[in-house]
Amino acid sequence: VRVDNSRRLDFDEPPFTQISTVPSARRLNPIEKPTTFDFEGRSISAHPDESVAVALFAEGEGILSRSVKYHRPRSFFCLSGNCGACLLRIDGQPNQKACRTQVREGQRVERQNAFPSGSFDIFGATDVLFSRGMDPHTLLTGSRPLNALMKQVVRQFAGFGRLPDPRSESAPLPTTEVRRVDVVVIGGGPAGLACATTLARSGQKVLLVHQERHLGGSLLTDPDFGPETARSIAEDAQRAGVESATQSVALAYYPEDRISDGAPPGLLAVATPSGLWKLSARRYVYATGTYDRNAVFGNNDRPGIFAARAVGRLLVSHHVLVGQRPIVIGDGPYARALTDALSSAGAAANRIDGARCRPITAYGRDWVRGLEVEEDGVRKRLPTDAIAVAALPAPATELPREHGVTVEFRPEAGGFACRVDDVGRSPDSKGVFVCGDAAGFLGPLRAQEAGRRTGEAVAKDLQGEQP
Ligand code: FES
Protein backbone atom coordinates (compact mmCIF):
# COMPACT_ATOMS: atom_id res chain seq x y z
CA VAL A 1 0.00 0.00 0.00
CA ARG A 2 1.46 3.31 -1.06
CA VAL A 3 0.59 5.75 1.69
CA ASP A 4 0.32 9.50 1.42
CA ASN A 5 3.82 10.53 2.35
CA SER A 6 3.14 14.23 2.03
CA ARG A 7 2.34 14.24 5.73
CA ARG A 8 5.97 13.49 6.43
CA LEU A 9 6.87 16.99 5.29
CA ASP A 10 5.42 18.26 8.54
CA PHE A 11 8.02 16.30 10.48
CA ASP A 12 10.62 18.15 12.46
CA GLU A 13 13.34 15.94 10.97
CA PRO A 14 15.71 16.86 8.14
CA PRO A 15 15.10 15.08 4.82
CA PHE A 16 18.35 13.09 5.01
CA THR A 17 19.45 11.90 8.34
CA GLN A 18 22.39 9.91 9.47
CA ILE A 19 21.14 6.41 10.06
CA SER A 20 21.29 3.75 11.99
CA THR A 21 20.53 3.89 15.59
CA VAL A 22 18.28 1.51 17.36
CA PRO A 23 17.89 3.43 20.54
CA SER A 24 16.79 0.73 22.86
CA ALA A 25 17.25 -2.82 21.57
CA ARG A 26 18.92 -4.64 24.42
CA ARG A 27 20.58 -7.99 24.94
CA LEU A 28 19.20 -9.66 28.03
CA ASN A 29 22.11 -12.10 28.30
CA PRO A 30 25.80 -11.34 27.81
CA ILE A 31 27.60 -13.14 24.96
CA GLU A 32 30.12 -15.56 26.36
CA LYS A 33 32.16 -16.58 23.34
CA PRO A 34 31.38 -14.03 20.64
CA THR A 35 31.74 -14.44 16.92
CA THR A 36 33.08 -11.26 15.33
CA PHE A 37 32.35 -9.97 11.87
CA ASP A 38 32.83 -6.77 9.91
CA PHE A 39 29.92 -4.48 9.12
CA GLU A 40 31.10 -1.63 6.88
CA GLY A 41 34.26 -1.23 8.93
CA ARG A 42 32.61 -1.73 12.31
CA SER A 43 33.46 -4.86 14.25
CA ILE A 44 30.26 -6.56 15.47
CA SER A 45 30.23 -9.16 18.24
CA ALA A 46 27.49 -11.74 18.00
CA HIS A 47 26.30 -14.91 19.63
CA PRO A 48 27.46 -17.74 17.31
CA ASP A 49 23.88 -18.98 16.93
CA GLU A 50 22.54 -15.67 15.66
CA SER A 51 21.70 -14.56 12.15
CA VAL A 52 23.39 -11.46 10.75
CA ALA A 53 20.10 -9.53 11.07
CA VAL A 54 19.68 -10.37 14.75
CA ALA A 55 23.32 -9.61 15.54
CA LEU A 56 23.22 -6.22 13.79
CA PHE A 57 19.98 -5.24 15.47
CA ALA A 58 21.19 -6.26 18.92
CA GLU A 59 24.29 -4.14 18.37
CA GLY A 60 22.32 -1.04 17.40
CA GLU A 61 22.38 -1.32 13.59
CA GLY A 62 18.73 -1.16 12.69
CA ILE A 63 18.75 -0.11 9.04
CA LEU A 64 19.66 -3.00 6.79
CA SER A 65 18.62 -1.90 3.34
CA ARG A 66 16.86 0.72 1.23
CA SER A 67 13.74 0.19 -0.82
CA VAL A 68 14.62 -0.17 -4.48
CA LYS A 69 12.60 2.75 -5.84
CA TYR A 70 12.22 5.42 -3.18
CA HIS A 71 15.25 4.40 -1.11
CA ARG A 72 13.18 4.39 2.03
CA PRO A 73 15.11 2.88 4.92
CA ARG A 74 14.30 -0.74 5.74
CA SER A 75 14.92 -2.88 8.75
CA PHE A 76 13.93 -6.54 8.91
CA PHE A 77 10.23 -7.37 9.17
CA CYS A 78 9.64 -11.14 9.39
CA LEU A 79 13.01 -12.57 10.52
CA SER A 80 11.97 -15.76 8.79
CA GLY A 81 13.20 -15.33 5.24
CA ASN A 82 9.92 -14.35 3.64
CA CYS A 83 9.68 -10.57 3.26
CA GLY A 84 12.95 -9.62 1.54
CA ALA A 85 13.46 -6.49 3.68
CA CYS A 86 16.85 -7.57 4.99
CA LEU A 87 18.95 -8.01 1.82
CA LEU A 88 22.65 -7.32 2.35
CA ARG A 89 25.89 -8.00 0.54
CA ILE A 90 27.63 -10.73 2.52
CA ASP A 91 31.13 -11.92 1.69
CA GLY A 92 30.88 -10.40 -1.77
CA GLN A 93 27.52 -12.02 -2.59
CA PRO A 94 24.67 -9.55 -3.21
CA ASN A 95 21.09 -9.86 -2.00
CA GLN A 96 21.69 -12.29 0.85
CA LYS A 97 18.90 -12.54 3.39
CA ALA A 98 20.48 -11.32 6.60
CA CYS A 99 17.84 -13.08 8.68
CA ARG A 100 18.76 -16.42 7.08
CA THR A 101 22.52 -16.02 7.14
CA GLN A 102 24.24 -17.23 10.26
CA VAL A 103 27.10 -15.12 11.60
CA ARG A 104 30.58 -16.40 10.85
CA GLU A 105 33.96 -15.28 12.14
CA GLY A 106 35.53 -12.77 9.77
CA GLN A 107 32.41 -12.33 7.62
CA ARG A 108 32.17 -9.11 5.55
CA VAL A 109 28.74 -7.50 5.61
CA GLU A 110 27.73 -4.37 3.68
CA ARG A 111 24.56 -2.56 2.80
CA GLN A 112 23.77 -2.14 -0.88
CA ASN A 113 21.92 0.20 -3.22
CA ALA A 114 22.83 3.31 -1.28
CA PHE A 115 25.10 6.19 -2.29
CA PRO A 116 27.57 7.35 -1.10
CA SER A 117 27.26 4.95 1.80
CA GLY A 118 24.81 2.79 3.63
CA SER A 119 24.63 5.30 6.43
CA PHE A 120 23.84 8.32 4.24
CA ASP A 121 21.87 7.64 1.10
CA ILE A 122 21.50 10.65 -1.14
CA PHE A 123 18.89 8.84 -3.25
CA GLY A 124 16.59 9.05 -0.25
CA ALA A 125 15.77 12.40 -1.84
CA THR A 126 13.49 10.51 -4.25
CA ASP A 127 11.17 9.71 -1.39
CA VAL A 128 10.99 13.35 -0.36
CA LEU A 129 10.77 14.88 -3.84
CA PHE A 130 8.10 12.43 -5.01
CA SER A 131 6.13 12.22 -1.82
CA ARG A 132 2.94 11.39 -3.73
CA GLY A 133 4.60 8.68 -5.81
CA MET A 134 6.77 8.56 -8.92
CA ASP A 135 6.00 6.85 -12.20
CA PRO A 136 9.32 6.59 -14.07
CA HIS A 137 7.50 5.52 -17.26
CA THR A 138 5.78 8.86 -17.65
CA LEU A 139 8.32 11.09 -15.97
CA LEU A 140 9.49 13.95 -18.23
CA THR A 141 7.56 12.56 -21.20
CA GLY A 142 6.65 16.13 -22.22
CA SER A 143 10.16 16.58 -23.62
CA ARG A 144 11.67 13.95 -25.91
CA PRO A 145 15.36 14.61 -25.02
CA LEU A 146 14.62 14.81 -21.30
CA ASN A 147 12.59 11.63 -21.50
CA ALA A 148 15.44 9.84 -23.28
CA LEU A 149 17.79 11.04 -20.55
CA MET A 150 15.39 9.92 -17.85
CA LYS A 151 15.20 6.43 -19.42
CA GLN A 152 18.98 6.16 -19.22
CA VAL A 153 18.96 7.26 -15.60
CA VAL A 154 16.21 4.82 -14.67
CA ARG A 155 17.95 1.93 -16.45
CA GLN A 156 21.15 2.76 -14.63
CA PHE A 157 19.48 2.61 -11.25
CA ALA A 158 17.16 -0.35 -11.83
CA GLY A 159 18.00 -3.62 -10.13
CA PHE A 160 19.35 -4.44 -6.73
CA GLY A 161 22.92 -5.03 -5.64
CA ARG A 162 26.09 -5.39 -7.71
CA LEU A 163 27.42 -8.54 -9.35
CA PRO A 164 29.09 -10.99 -6.95
CA ASP A 165 32.82 -10.93 -6.35
CA PRO A 166 34.52 -13.54 -8.58
CA ARG A 167 34.42 -17.05 -7.09
CA SER A 168 37.69 -18.38 -5.85
CA GLU A 169 39.11 -21.17 -8.03
CA SER A 170 38.92 -23.65 -5.16
CA ALA A 171 35.21 -23.16 -4.43
CA PRO A 172 33.58 -26.57 -5.06
CA LEU A 173 30.68 -26.80 -7.47
CA PRO A 174 27.39 -27.92 -5.91
CA THR A 175 26.57 -31.58 -6.44
CA THR A 176 23.30 -33.17 -7.51
CA GLU A 177 21.99 -36.22 -5.72
CA VAL A 178 18.98 -38.41 -6.41
CA ARG A 179 16.88 -39.37 -3.37
CA ARG A 180 13.87 -41.62 -2.96
CA VAL A 181 11.94 -41.90 0.31
CA ASP A 182 8.57 -43.18 1.51
CA VAL A 183 7.38 -39.79 2.68
CA VAL A 184 8.83 -36.33 2.46
CA VAL A 185 7.47 -33.75 4.89
CA ILE A 186 8.22 -30.17 3.96
CA GLY A 187 8.31 -27.87 6.97
CA GLY A 188 9.68 -28.61 10.44
CA GLY A 189 7.25 -26.57 12.52
CA PRO A 190 4.80 -28.10 15.00
CA ALA A 191 2.63 -29.72 12.30
CA GLY A 192 5.51 -31.10 10.21
CA LEU A 193 7.34 -32.46 13.24
CA ALA A 194 4.22 -34.17 14.60
CA CYS A 195 3.42 -35.67 11.20
CA ALA A 196 6.97 -36.90 10.57
CA THR A 197 7.27 -38.42 14.05
CA THR A 198 3.94 -40.24 13.74
CA LEU A 199 4.97 -41.65 10.37
CA ALA A 200 8.43 -42.72 11.52
CA ARG A 201 6.91 -44.50 14.51
CA SER A 202 4.73 -46.46 12.11
CA GLY A 203 7.85 -47.69 10.30
CA GLN A 204 7.98 -45.37 7.29
CA LYS A 205 11.19 -43.87 5.94
CA VAL A 206 10.56 -40.16 6.45
CA LEU A 207 12.59 -37.19 5.33
CA LEU A 208 11.82 -33.85 6.96
CA VAL A 209 12.94 -30.83 4.93
CA HIS A 210 13.20 -27.58 6.86
CA GLN A 211 14.62 -24.29 5.69
CA GLU A 212 15.81 -22.98 9.04
CA ARG A 213 18.79 -24.11 11.06
CA HIS A 214 16.71 -25.29 13.99
CA LEU A 215 13.52 -27.31 13.87
CA GLY A 216 10.47 -25.91 15.63
CA GLY A 217 9.03 -23.20 13.36
CA SER A 218 6.56 -21.02 15.22
CA LEU A 219 7.45 -22.70 18.53
CA LEU A 220 10.70 -20.74 18.41
CA THR A 221 8.82 -17.45 18.38
CA ASP A 222 6.19 -18.19 20.99
CA PRO A 223 6.64 -17.18 24.64
CA ASP A 224 4.36 -20.08 25.63
CA PHE A 225 6.77 -22.63 24.07
CA GLY A 226 10.25 -21.50 23.03
CA PRO A 227 13.46 -23.28 22.06
CA GLU A 228 13.36 -25.85 24.89
CA THR A 229 9.98 -27.19 23.78
CA ALA A 230 11.07 -27.13 20.13
CA ARG A 231 14.27 -29.01 20.95
CA SER A 232 12.49 -31.71 22.90
CA ILE A 233 9.93 -32.27 20.10
CA ALA A 234 12.76 -32.38 17.54
CA GLU A 235 14.60 -34.94 19.67
CA ASP A 236 11.45 -37.08 19.79
CA ALA A 237 11.39 -36.98 16.00
CA GLN A 238 15.03 -37.98 15.77
CA ARG A 239 14.53 -40.85 18.23
CA ALA A 240 11.59 -42.08 16.16
CA GLY A 241 13.92 -42.28 13.13
CA VAL A 242 13.02 -39.13 11.19
CA GLU A 243 15.84 -37.97 8.91
CA SER A 244 15.89 -34.20 9.00
CA ALA A 245 17.49 -31.93 6.42
CA THR A 246 17.74 -28.47 7.96
CA GLN A 247 18.84 -25.30 6.12
CA SER A 248 17.34 -27.00 3.10
CA VAL A 249 14.77 -25.39 0.87
CA ALA A 250 12.19 -27.24 -1.20
CA LEU A 251 12.46 -25.11 -4.33
CA ALA A 252 9.79 -26.46 -6.63
CA TYR A 253 7.84 -29.53 -7.69
CA TYR A 254 8.15 -30.58 -11.35
CA PRO A 255 5.30 -32.93 -12.30
CA GLU A 256 6.73 -33.65 -15.77
CA ASP A 257 10.28 -34.59 -14.69
CA ARG A 258 11.66 -37.83 -13.23
CA ILE A 259 14.53 -38.51 -10.84
CA SER A 260 15.83 -41.17 -13.26
CA ASP A 261 14.84 -43.09 -16.38
CA GLY A 262 11.96 -45.42 -15.60
CA ALA A 263 11.03 -43.66 -12.36
CA PRO A 264 7.46 -42.39 -12.00
CA PRO A 265 6.94 -38.78 -13.05
CA GLY A 266 7.31 -36.06 -10.45
CA LEU A 267 10.37 -34.54 -8.89
CA LEU A 268 10.84 -32.27 -5.91
CA ALA A 269 13.95 -30.09 -6.12
CA VAL A 270 15.56 -29.42 -2.74
CA ALA A 271 18.53 -27.10 -2.23
CA THR A 272 20.64 -28.35 0.67
CA PRO A 273 23.88 -26.89 2.06
CA SER A 274 25.83 -29.59 0.18
CA GLY A 275 24.03 -29.46 -3.16
CA LEU A 276 20.80 -30.12 -5.01
CA TRP A 277 18.56 -33.12 -4.37
CA LYS A 278 16.23 -34.50 -7.01
CA LEU A 279 13.73 -36.16 -4.76
CA SER A 280 10.84 -38.52 -5.26
CA ALA A 281 8.51 -39.84 -2.57
CA ARG A 282 5.51 -42.13 -2.35
CA ARG A 283 3.65 -39.45 -0.40
CA TYR A 284 4.26 -35.73 -0.07
CA VAL A 285 3.19 -33.77 3.00
CA TYR A 286 3.32 -29.99 2.91
CA ALA A 287 3.51 -28.36 6.34
CA THR A 288 4.70 -25.06 4.97
CA GLY A 289 3.11 -22.84 7.62
CA THR A 290 2.24 -19.19 7.13
CA TYR A 291 3.67 -15.82 6.20
CA ASP A 292 3.60 -12.86 8.54
CA ARG A 293 1.58 -9.92 7.34
CA ASN A 294 1.63 -6.26 8.16
CA ALA A 295 -1.42 -4.23 9.14
CA VAL A 296 -2.61 -1.39 6.90
CA PHE A 297 -1.72 2.02 8.29
CA GLY A 298 0.32 5.02 7.19
CA ASN A 299 4.11 4.60 7.12
CA ASN A 300 3.77 0.94 8.03
CA ASP A 301 7.10 0.24 6.30
CA ARG A 302 9.13 2.33 8.74
CA PRO A 303 12.11 0.67 10.39
CA GLY A 304 11.06 -0.42 13.85
CA ILE A 305 7.77 -1.96 12.64
CA PHE A 306 8.04 -5.72 12.79
CA ALA A 307 5.98 -8.85 12.52
CA ALA A 308 5.03 -9.83 16.06
CA ARG A 309 6.59 -13.27 15.56
CA ALA A 310 9.91 -11.57 14.69
CA VAL A 311 9.74 -9.71 17.99
CA GLY A 312 8.86 -12.98 19.71
CA ARG A 313 11.77 -14.75 18.03
CA LEU A 314 14.16 -12.01 19.17
CA LEU A 315 12.98 -12.36 22.73
CA VAL A 316 12.35 -16.08 23.06
CA SER A 317 15.15 -17.52 20.95
CA HIS A 318 17.80 -14.78 21.11
CA HIS A 319 17.10 -12.97 24.39
CA VAL A 320 17.06 -9.60 22.65
CA LEU A 321 14.48 -7.09 23.85
CA VAL A 322 13.15 -5.09 20.91
CA GLY A 323 12.75 -1.74 22.67
CA GLN A 324 11.78 0.08 25.82
CA ARG A 325 8.25 1.08 24.80
CA PRO A 326 7.00 -1.46 22.26
CA ILE A 327 3.41 -1.45 21.06
CA VAL A 328 1.83 -4.75 20.07
CA ILE A 329 -1.05 -4.53 17.58
CA GLY A 330 -3.45 -7.46 17.80
CA ASP A 331 -6.07 -9.13 19.92
CA GLY A 332 -5.33 -12.84 19.66
CA PRO A 333 -3.65 -15.14 22.17
CA TYR A 334 -0.24 -14.59 20.57
CA ALA A 335 -0.47 -10.78 20.84
CA ARG A 336 -1.42 -11.09 24.51
CA ALA A 337 1.31 -13.61 25.32
CA LEU A 338 3.91 -11.47 23.56
CA THR A 339 2.85 -8.30 25.39
CA ASP A 340 3.11 -10.11 28.73
CA ALA A 341 6.51 -11.54 27.82
CA LEU A 342 7.85 -8.13 26.76
CA SER A 343 6.62 -6.61 30.02
CA SER A 344 8.18 -9.42 32.05
CA ALA A 345 11.47 -8.80 30.25
CA GLY A 346 11.43 -5.19 31.44
CA ALA A 347 9.77 -3.23 28.62
CA ALA A 348 6.88 -0.80 29.10
CA ALA A 349 4.82 -2.77 26.58
CA ASN A 350 1.47 -1.49 25.38
CA ARG A 351 -1.11 -3.35 23.30
CA ILE A 352 -3.87 -2.07 21.05
CA ASP A 353 -6.40 -4.49 19.63
CA GLY A 354 -6.16 -3.10 16.08
CA ALA A 355 -9.96 -2.85 15.63
CA ARG A 356 -11.64 -0.85 18.39
CA CYS A 357 -8.38 1.02 18.80
CA ARG A 358 -6.88 1.05 15.31
CA PRO A 359 -3.55 2.30 14.02
CA ILE A 360 -3.71 5.33 11.70
CA THR A 361 -0.10 6.21 10.96
CA ALA A 362 3.39 5.69 12.33
CA TYR A 363 5.80 8.56 12.89
CA GLY A 364 9.54 8.67 12.60
CA ARG A 365 11.81 8.69 9.55
CA ASP A 366 14.76 6.43 10.20
CA TRP A 367 13.20 4.72 13.17
CA VAL A 368 9.64 4.61 14.43
CA ARG A 369 8.96 7.16 17.16
CA GLY A 370 5.22 7.10 17.59
CA LEU A 371 1.91 5.65 16.48
CA GLU A 372 -1.26 7.63 15.91
CA VAL A 373 -4.31 5.60 16.82
CA GLU A 374 -8.05 6.18 16.70
CA GLU A 375 -10.38 5.00 19.41
CA ASP A 376 -14.07 5.93 19.66
CA GLY A 377 -13.52 8.63 17.03
CA VAL A 378 -10.70 10.24 19.01
CA ARG A 379 -7.14 10.27 17.68
CA LYS A 380 -4.08 10.30 19.88
CA ARG A 381 -0.36 9.66 19.51
CA LEU A 382 1.37 6.95 21.47
CA PRO A 383 5.14 7.23 21.82
CA THR A 384 6.99 4.04 20.94
CA ASP A 385 10.33 2.71 19.76
CA ALA A 386 9.07 -0.56 18.23
CA ILE A 387 5.77 -1.83 16.85
CA ALA A 388 4.95 -5.55 16.71
CA VAL A 389 2.11 -6.37 14.31
CA ALA A 390 0.25 -9.57 15.17
CA ALA A 391 -2.00 -9.74 12.09
CA LEU A 392 -3.53 -13.07 11.07
CA PRO A 393 -0.77 -14.81 9.08
CA ALA A 394 -1.34 -15.93 5.49
CA PRO A 395 -1.01 -19.65 4.58
CA ALA A 396 2.09 -20.49 2.53
CA THR A 397 0.54 -22.39 -0.36
CA GLU A 398 2.94 -22.02 -3.31
CA LEU A 399 4.54 -25.49 -3.16
CA PRO A 400 1.32 -27.47 -2.63
CA ARG A 401 -0.29 -25.48 -5.45
CA GLU A 402 2.60 -26.45 -7.75
CA HIS A 403 1.78 -30.03 -6.79
CA GLY A 404 -1.85 -29.72 -7.86
CA VAL A 405 -3.49 -28.70 -4.58
CA THR A 406 -6.19 -26.08 -4.99
CA VAL A 407 -6.81 -23.23 -2.59
CA GLU A 408 -9.96 -21.59 -1.35
CA PHE A 409 -10.44 -18.12 0.06
CA ARG A 410 -11.21 -18.22 3.76
CA PRO A 411 -10.58 -14.85 5.42
CA GLU A 412 -10.88 -16.33 8.90
CA ALA A 413 -8.06 -18.80 8.04
CA GLY A 414 -5.70 -16.08 6.81
CA GLY A 415 -6.77 -15.80 3.17
CA PHE A 416 -6.14 -18.40 0.45
CA ALA A 417 -5.72 -21.73 2.23
CA CYS A 418 -5.13 -25.22 0.82
CA ARG A 419 -8.27 -27.23 0.21
CA VAL A 420 -7.93 -30.56 2.02
CA ASP A 421 -10.14 -32.93 4.00
CA ASP A 422 -10.03 -33.28 7.78
CA VAL A 423 -6.90 -35.46 7.72
CA GLY A 424 -5.10 -33.16 5.31
CA ARG A 425 -5.61 -35.19 2.13
CA SER A 426 -5.89 -33.19 -1.07
CA PRO A 427 -8.92 -34.19 -3.14
CA ASP A 428 -7.21 -32.67 -6.19
CA SER A 429 -3.77 -34.28 -6.18
CA LYS A 430 -3.18 -37.97 -5.50
CA GLY A 431 -0.65 -38.77 -2.79
CA VAL A 432 -0.43 -35.17 -1.58
CA PHE A 433 -1.30 -33.98 1.91
CA VAL A 434 -1.22 -30.58 3.59
CA CYS A 435 -1.22 -30.13 7.35
CA GLY A 436 -1.06 -27.35 9.88
CA ASP A 437 -1.31 -23.65 9.14
CA ALA A 438 -0.90 -24.02 5.35
CA ALA A 439 -4.46 -25.33 5.31
CA GLY A 440 -5.65 -22.33 7.38
CA PHE A 441 -4.08 -20.70 10.39
CA LEU A 442 -4.47 -22.82 13.55
CA GLY A 443 -1.69 -21.85 15.95
CA PRO A 444 0.98 -24.25 17.31
CA LEU A 445 -1.10 -26.65 19.43
CA ARG A 446 -3.86 -27.26 16.91
CA ALA A 447 -1.30 -27.43 14.10
CA GLN A 448 0.55 -30.14 16.02
CA GLU A 449 -2.67 -32.11 16.43
CA ALA A 450 -3.45 -31.69 12.72
CA GLY A 451 0.06 -32.96 11.87
CA ARG A 452 -0.47 -36.04 13.99
CA ARG A 453 -3.79 -36.80 12.26
CA THR A 454 -2.18 -36.39 8.85
CA GLY A 455 0.70 -38.67 9.86
CA GLU A 456 -1.76 -41.40 10.85
CA ALA A 457 -3.71 -41.00 7.60
CA VAL A 458 -0.55 -41.17 5.45
CA ALA A 459 0.68 -44.24 7.36
CA LYS A 460 -2.68 -45.95 6.77
CA ASP A 461 -2.53 -44.99 3.11
CA LEU A 462 0.86 -46.64 2.72
CA GLN A 463 -0.01 -49.83 4.59
CA GLY A 464 -0.05 -52.77 2.26
CA GLU A 465 1.17 -50.72 -0.70
CA GLN A 466 4.27 -52.03 -2.42
CA PRO A 467 7.24 -49.69 -1.82
S1 FES B 1 13.31 -11.93 4.70
FE1 FES B 1 14.68 -11.33 6.24
S2 FES B 1 13.44 -10.15 7.55
FE2 FES B 1 12.02 -10.92 6.14
Side-chain angles (χ1 to χ4, degrees):
V1 173
R2 178 76 182 156
V3 295
D4 179 6
N5 292 326
S6 56
R7 299 183 60 162
R8 290 177 302 100
L9 299 177
D10 300 334
F11 287 3
D12 54 359
E13 292 160 303
F16 314 111
T17 46
Q18 292 290 326
I19 57 176
S20 294
T21 51
V22 182
S24 36
R26 183 160 61 86
R27 285 190 187 281
L28 300 174
N29 292 344
I31 312 170
E32 278 169 15
K33 288 190 185 147
T35 295
T36 308
F37 65 95
D38 178 89
F39 177 62
E40 297 177 347
R42 181 183 165 196
S43 177
I44 301 283
S45 295
H47 189 285
D49 203 32
E50 286 172 349
S51 66
V52 170
V54 170
L56 289 174
F57 180 68
E59 294 302 312
E61 297 287 356
I63 308 297
L64 300 180
S65 65
R66 293 269 170 173
S67 67
V68 68
K69 188 173 172 188
Y70 295 99
H71 285 246
R72 285 165 75 98
R74 292 274 185 270
S75 184
F76 57 84
F77 176 73
C78 69
L79 269 194
S80 56
N82 296 318
C83 73
C86 64
L87 300 183
L88 289 170
R89 187 178 185 90
I90 299 179
D91 287 334
Q93 298 294 313
N95 303 328
Q96 302 298 299
K97 287 180 179 172
C99 69
R100 274 287 157 79
T101 309
Q102 197 190 341
V103 295
R104 203 175 43 72
E105 191 66 36
Q107 212 166 25
R108 278 180 302 119
V109 177
E110 305 155 76
R111 282 173 284 212
Q112 50 184 25
N113 280 58
F115 180 81
S117 73
S119 57
F120 182 84
D121 183 13
I122 203 156
F123 296 115
T126 321
D127 191 30
V128 177
L129 295 174
F130 298 93
S131 59
R132 291 186 185 277
M134 175 186 71
D135 180 359
H137 303 286
T138 56
L139 203 63
L140 303 180
T141 43
S143 154
R144 192 177 278 241
L146 278 177
N147 190 235
L149 178 70
M150 186 62 200
K151 270 192 206 153
Q152 293 301 320
V153 172
V154 167
R155 281 177 191 153
Q156 195 64 32
F157 286 100
F160 214 63
R162 286 177 288 113
L163 287 173
D165 294 348
R167 283 178 81 89
S168 95
E169 288 299 315
S170 55
L173 286 172
T175 56
T176 304
E177 194 183 327
V178 167
R179 299 282 320 260
R180 183 158 173 79
V181 293
D182 288 335
V183 187
V184 59
V185 178
I186 297 116
L193 275 166
C195 179
T197 307
T198 306
L199 278 159
R201 282 181 183 150
S202 76
Q204 305 297 336
K205 185 178 170 193
V206 188
L207 173 66
L208 179 64
V209 175
H210 187 57
Q211 55 184 2
E212 293 186 33
R213 187 155 169 256
H214 298 295
L215 294 166
S218 58
L219 298 171
L220 296 170
T221 71
D222 197 321
D224 289 340
F225 301 99
E228 291 304 320
T229 311
R231 201 171 301 129
S232 113
I233 295 174
E235 282 167 5
D236 282 351
Q238 197 184 12
R239 271 194 295 273
V242 174
E243 177 193 354
S244 52
T246 53
Q247 293 180 291
S248 298
V249 180
L251 299 172
Y253 179 77
Y254 299 93
E256 70 283 8
D257 287 334
R258 300 164 196 269
I259 56 167
S260 57
D261 291 343
L267 177 162
L268 185 74
V270 180
T272 75
S274 59
L276 185 73
W277 287 351
K278 290 162 63 175
L279 196 141
S280 167
R282 293 162 69 202
R283 296 291 182 276
Y284 296 80
V285 180
Y286 293 96
T288 41
T290 49
Y291 298 128
D292 291 304
R293 288 194 300 188
N294 207 339
V296 179
F297 57 94
N299 283 322
N300 67 354
D301 63 340
R302 283 295 170 210
I305 300 175
F306 308 112
R309 290 195 292 194
V311 173
R313 183 183 294 268
L314 280 171
L315 184 64
V316 172
S317 290
H318 300 290
H319 308 288
V320 173
L321 186 57
V322 72
Q324 286 178 354
R325 292 182 297 185
I327 295 176
V328 179
I329 303 176
D331 200 27
Y334 185 77
R336 290 167 193 276
L338 180 62
T339 312
D340 290 347
L342 290 168
S343 302
S344 306
N350 194 357
R351 186 177 66 79
I352 63 167
D353 64 13
R356 199 175 56 81
C357 180
R358 67 187 182 96
I360 302 297
T361 194
Y363 289 92
R365 184 179 295 280
D366 291 333
W367 200 257
V368 67
R369 291 187 297 126
L371 180 67
E372 183 172 301
V373 298
E374 185 176 278
E375 186 169 18
D376 299 329
V378 178
R379 290 194 179 189
K380 59 183 174 191
R381 284 188 191 184
L382 307 175
T384 186
D385 52 7
I387 296 175
V389 182
L392 187 60
T397 62
E398 293 89 341
L399 271 174
R401 276 189 286 138
E402 278 181 5
H403 208 146
V405 174
T406 57
V407 291
E408 55 195 355
F409 186 62
R410 287 188 283 128
E412 75 291 352
F416 286 96
C418 293
R419 195 167 76 96
V420 289
D421 68 11
D422 55 2
V423 294
R425 187 192 315 269
S426 165
D428 307 298
S429 188
K430 195 167 177 301
V432 179
F433 292 74
V434 180
C435 65
D437 292 345
F441 179 71
L442 300 168
L445 283 180
R446 288 170 61 212
Q448 202 172 29
E449 186 45 43
R452 212 169 284 135
R453 275 202 309 275
T454 300
E456 286 166 2
V458 175
K460 210 165 155 194
D461 226 33
L462 288 169
Q463 265 168 20
E465 188 183 281
Q466 284 298 316

